[in-house]
Amino acid sequence: MNDLISRLLAHERIRAARRHVERADDVTLARQAALSATPAPTGAEGARGARVAELFREIGLSHVGVDQAGNVCGWLANGHGSAPVVLAAHLDTVFGPEVDVRVKRRGQRLEGPGISDNARGLAALLAVAEALVATGVPTARPILFAATVGEEGSGDLRGVKYLLNGRHDVGAQHAAPLPNTAPLPAAFIALDGAGLERVIHRALGSKRYHVTFRGPGGHSWAAFGVANPANAVGRAAALLADLPIATAPRTTCAVVGLGGGTGLNSIPQDAWLDLDLRSEEPRALAQLDVTVRAALERAADDENRNRSTGTPPLRLEVQLVGDRPCGITPRVHPLVQAAIAANRALGHDAELTSASTDANAPIALGIPAIALGAGGKAGDAHLTTEWYENVEGALGIVRALLVTAAMAEVG
């Protein structure tokens, strides 16, 4: 793979594409700031998606459109009939519509909610597409450029799941990402945030639950002794805090929210807690899921045993609100090796790691997938003080270009 990357760096068209990326660095930064300043809360990515679609068309991608999930797609349609390579970046941010997403420049630093995650990924997606189109890089495989919806939090990877699993419906509004008769992608590369070192090849899976305990409620004095949903929430939180948790593979269970009740003198009729279960390994996540459900049942049973005779029991309701698959693209796979070799050729060590990204969905389907940062440095991710500095920013885009070209089999 080192030889392949070396050959690509010497390829006349790839060298031209690299020069295009480097010359267009200011344009890429301007696009990044403009996209970041266009609100795109999870579930409301339409305005940002519309702008990306316009840019896809201006760049010269073919069959540009928006699918039924809201993903924006465009093709570099060389190698018709071959399994495509997908280069993707997510449109949405963690910030709600009430957050001011205007971007400020302070010296070399851009500041604004979502300026790195994922305005940087989107700007890099556009930069790679533009460089390949402008320089006429020949590839044996078609390349699908996709700006996906619903990657963050409650989005639960909705966009990429639809892109890969809902292929028979993806022709809406003239989008033509993955027809039902087309082969699954040969490779999937997600551009997510900033950075040059990380190569995310392990998909951190999660299950997220909204758990509700329901009971009769009543006056805190007169009805005292009925099964109390608030007590059950406390019992459940304590049981979950004491669970033995595996460290290899690393597996976690966190109570991330709780609430209930209506007043200081009332036993609540319902109380709730939110849970986030995570692991890098599917069997470990499945086992944790079983253990957590047993703990919730025990919390309800313990509270019911303590209620006054003749009073109604608590009911337990467990709602799955998020399900992100886990898995791995092996280190020895050519896609991972291409990323490692590209890092090495550009003078940076590769850090193989895990995270929850759009790459989770293809990995779970057996599609080779990784996620890469798009160059530069960033901080305060998921905070309104998020920032980005364009230190070796173009180099991150060049890395994405090389990995995409390697997988698309440049001629």
Side-chain angles (χ1 to χ4, degrees):
M1 192 56 68
N2 290 333
D3 290 344
L4 173 58
I5 296 298
S6 296
R7 288 197 301 272
L8 286 174
L9 286 168
H11 192 289
E12 180 182 358
R13 296 293 178 90
I14 293 295
R15 290 169 62 190
R18 178 175 183 172
R19 289 194 297 271
H20 190 286
V21 167
E22 293 168 344
R23 287 196 302 266
D25 200 27
D26 288 343
V27 172
T28 298
L29 275 178
R31 285 174 177 165
Q32 181 178 344
L35 289 169
S36 187
T38 304
T42 300
E45 303 95 337
R48 184 177 289 184
R51 180 56 183 147
V52 170
E54 290 176 1
L55 290 167
F56 275 180
R57 293 187 182 98
E58 290 175 14
I59 285 167
L61 295 180
S62 64
H63 299 92
V64 175
V66 182
D67 67 25
Q68 291 181 3
N71 301 312
V72 182
C73 301
W75 284 93
L76 182 60
N78 300 331
H80 289 288
S82 302
V85 172
V86 179
L87 187 66
H90 68 86
L91 287 161
D92 59 323
T93 73
V94 299
F95 305 100
E98 76 284 354
V99 174
D100 182 354
V101 293
R102 286 177 294 181
V103 176
K104 300 175 182 177
R105 183 183 287 274
R106 303 185 191 277
Q108 297 302 307
R109 177 172 289 192
L110 295 175
E111 296 181 356
I115 187 63
S116 174
D117 184 12
N118 193 33
R120 181 60 188 174
L122 289 168
L125 179 73
L126 291 160
V128 173
E130 186 172 49
L132 291 172
V133 172
T135 58
V137 174
T139 60
R141 295 185 182 279
I143 302 172
L144 170 62
F145 295 88
T148 60
V149 298
E151 190 272 347
E152 297 286 5
S154 61
D156 199 35
L157 307 182
R158 179 174 62 87
V160 69
K161 287 177 179 177
Y162 183 87
L163 185 71
L164 299 174
N165 292 317
R167 293 182 294 153
H168 56 289
D169 293 323
V170 181
Q173 301 180 41
H174 308 292
L178 294 172
N180 198 41
T181 56
L184 285 172
F188 184 104
I189 304 155
L191 300 177
D192 202 330
L196 261 172
E197 284 74 24
R198 293 206 308 164
V199 176
I200 298 165
H201 73 118
R202 303 193 305 275
L204 179 59
S206 65
K207 286 186 177 289
R208 290 161 177 169
Y209 290 106
H210 182 70
V211 179
T212 307
F213 295 92
R214 301 191 188 278
H219 194 280
S220 57
W221 171 264
F224 185 80
V226 300
N228 189 332
N231 288 353
V233 164
R235 293 178 190 275
L239 289 169
L240 295 172
D242 290 337
L243 288 179
I245 297 297
T247 56
R250 186 176 181 222
T251 305
T252 62
C253 172
V255 176
V256 295
L258 47 82
T262 57
L264 290 174
N265 60 350
S266 299
I267 296 170
Q269 289 184 302
D270 56 71
W272 57 268
L273 70 162
D274 288 335
L275 304 177
D276 184 12
L277 287 58
R278 297 191 180 220
S279 182
E280 297 176 352
E281 203 280 319
R283 286 175 296 180
L285 185 59
Q287 181 56 57
L288 177 62
D289 189 36
V290 171
T291 303
V292 165
R293 286 175 174 271
L296 297 173
E297 294 283 356
R298 179 180 167 186
D301 291 344
D302 287 349
E303 181 60 22
N304 281 330
R305 275 196 295 271
N306 288 326
R307 77 185 191 277
S308 298
T309 303
T311 58
L314 285 178
R315 303 191 315 277
L316 169 64
E317 299 175 4
V318 181
Q319 179 187 4
L320 180 67
V321 294
D323 189 0
R324 295 177 177 235
C326 48
I328 187 169
T329 300
R331 181 189 180 114
V332 297
H333 191 278
L335 174 59
V336 181
Q337 288 297 306
I340 294 171
N343 265 62
R344 186 178 295 116
L346 298 174
H348 285 263
D349 292 331
E351 176 193 351
L352 298 183
T353 188
S354 68
S356 179
T357 70
D358 267 346
N360 284 43
I363 287 174
L365 291 172
I367 299 167
I370 59 173
L372 301 172
K377 295 183 178 180
D380 290 355
H382 291 195
L383 299 176
T384 56
T385 53
E386 188 172 347
W387 57 267
Y388 173 82
E389 293 180 357
N390 197 41
V391 179
E392 296 187 311
L395 209 59
I397 298 173
V398 171
R399 175 177 70 163
L401 170 73
L402 290 172
V403 177
T404 303
M407 293 299 101
E409 301 176 8
V410 168

